Amino acid sequence: MKPDSVFKKAFNRVLQLIDAADVDIGATSENALRARIGVSRTTVHKVLSELDARGIMQASGNGPRAGRPILKSDYFPDPETTSKRQHVEEQFMEWMLRGDTQPGTLINELQLARQFGVATNGIREFLIRFSRFGLIEKKQNSGWLFKGFTEAFALELFEIRVMFELRSAVLFAELPDDSPLWRELAELKTAHQQLLREIGGRFHDFSRLDNRLHRLINRAAPNRFIDDFYDVITLIFHYHYQWNKKDELQRNEAAIGEHLAYIDALFSGDTHEIERTCLRHMTSARTTLVRSLQVAA
């Protein structure tokens, strides 16, 4: 993990809760706050100490009370709130998707480390873990080689994705009301709505938002095999989507609408509606994948 990334993420989360008036910092116990944001007692204590040090919360003889208003500058930057592993994964996927990476491309560990702002061993660990899917391989004295993938491989993986997603979506709806995942889902809904309003100039940003949503849903049923599969799932689906430029804006706009319907179904708790909106989105994604594979062929 990056130094204090867990603390910084928890601190930002508490700032959001205070700013949205979802918690009364003066009336909420440490245990209640810990349960709300899903971190340890030590982390919560550190968050409260930092709030006090910054004047956002003030100690008094009658207990803590709200201090000054929260400013945008109070939040830690997003890169500081993610683990080293997550940062490398996100940057690598972004590099693949935005860099027009073709099969046969050589991957240089040192170059990526400098570009991503991480140590070389972090890049190497990720590439070794990712290589077991057969999409990249180590070349002696020449770095790594991106091999690409077949249509059959992509479609078989899609079937696994649907099974994982349906199971996780149903379990997500059964989460307790105070689960921090609900808040994250609400934040993702807002992000989708904002992207939809700015779709004309930001439609390329959909791939990252899509990855965030599906990873969040699968966190309702933690499974290390699902986590590992999602690295390659993300790469395959969005890597191939980029080859079909026809109607790209319209396709991403439609997918955002499907996501919003899916999110609303999750909030409703209606199992049938969750399955319907999930399968509708998965079917649409599969159709787009097949068309993109045909363009890339």
Side-chain angles (χ1 to χ4, degrees):
M1 298 285 283
K2 295 179 183 179
D4 289 334
S5 61
V6 172
F7 154 69
K8 291 177 180 179
K9 183 175 182 178
F11 183 82
N12 283 2
R13 177 81 178 101
V14 172
L15 289 184
Q16 292 169 344
L17 292 172
I18 296 173
D19 202 33
D22 280 352
V23 298
D24 180 350
I25 197 62
T28 304
S29 68
E30 288 191 18
N31 283 337
L33 191 59
R34 179 173 63 86
R36 184 72 184 271
I37 62 177
V39 296
S40 69
R41 184 176 288 103
T42 300
T43 299
V44 166
H45 183 72
K46 191 173 181 180
V47 167
L48 294 175
S49 296
E50 184 67 18
L51 291 173
D52 184 55
R54 297 190 187 195
I56 299 171
M57 180 185 78
Q58 295 179 346
S60 68
N62 297 322
R65 58 185 176 84
R68 67 169 176 81
I70 294 171
L71 307 174
K72 286 186 177 180
S73 58
D74 287 317
Y75 289 88
F76 289 105
D78 286 344
E80 295 184 23
T81 65
T82 59
S83 67
K84 179 182 73 173
R85 171 174 165 172
Q86 183 181 351
H87 175 70
V88 171
E89 288 177 357
E90 290 177 353
Q91 291 297 309
F92 182 78
M93 297 305 174
E94 189 76 7
W95 175 76
M96 290 289 292
L97 297 174
R98 300 292 180 92
D100 197 29
T101 307
Q102 301 270 0
T105 297
L106 287 175
I107 301 171
N108 184 285
E109 292 177 5
L110 181 59
Q111 181 181 354
L112 289 185
R114 290 173 176 169
Q115 184 174 335
F116 299 168
V118 298
T120 307
N121 67 326
I123 298 293
R124 185 175 301 116
E125 289 170 4
F126 170 77
L127 293 174
I128 290 172
R129 186 166 56 87
F130 197 71
S131 66
R132 68 180 181 277
F133 295 111
L135 304 182
I136 61 174
E137 68 177 16
K138 188 75 171 68
K139 304 296 287 186
Q140 188 173 5
N141 301 323
S142 62
W144 296 80
L145 178 70
F146 174 55
K147 298 169 61 178
F149 24 71
T150 66
E151 178 176 346
F153 181 93
L155 293 179
E156 287 172 9
L157 195 66
F158 185 88
E159 294 178 5
I160 297 174
R161 180 190 186 186
V162 173
M163 288 189 292
F164 284 164
E165 182 99 6
L166 278 172
R167 173 178 176 271
S168 297
V170 171
L171 291 175
F172 196 104
E174 297 175 358
L175 290 170
D177 292 342
D178 61 354
S179 170
L181 298 189
W182 288 116
R183 177 69 181 186
E184 292 187 46
L185 185 63
E187 292 166 358
L188 267 175
K189 180 176 181 179
T190 299
H192 276 78
Q193 292 169 331
Q194 182 176 352
L195 180 57
L196 191 58
R197 289 192 295 269
E198 303 170 358
I199 192 67
R202 292 184 53 209
F203 60 93
H204 290 299
D205 293 340
F206 173 70
S207 60
R208 177 172 290 183
L209 205 58
D210 181 78
N211 185 34
R212 286 176 58 194
L213 175 63
H214 293 293
R215 282 187 181 272
L216 174 63
I217 291 170
N218 281 296
R219 280 167 57 195
N223 184 303
R224 65 179 181 273
F225 299 108
I226 296 178
D227 291 341
D228 287 343
F229 268 121
Y230 245 85
D231 292 337
V232 70
I233 286 172
T234 298
L235 176 59
I236 286 179
F237 286 93
H238 292 290
Y239 176 83
H240 272 107
Y241 286 174
Q242 73 175 339
W243 295 119
N244 186 2
K245 300 298 184 183
K246 183 179 180 181
D247 301 326
E248 185 177 9
L249 186 155
Q250 290 80 5
R251 284 188 284 110
N252 286 353
E253 185 175 21
I256 292 172
E258 293 171 3
H259 275 194
L260 288 170
Y262 190 7
I263 291 171
D264 286 341
L266 289 168
F267 277 121
S268 75
D270 185 329
T271 302
H272 294 296
E273 184 64 10
I274 290 170
E275 292 179 350
R276 187 189 71 81
T277 53
C278 176
L279 287 174
R280 176 192 174 202
H281 178 54
M282 293 290 104
T283 301
S284 175
R286 186 184 189 282
T287 299
T288 300
L289 174 64
V290 170
R291 289 175 179 171
S292 298
L293 288 164
Q294 292 169 348
V295 169

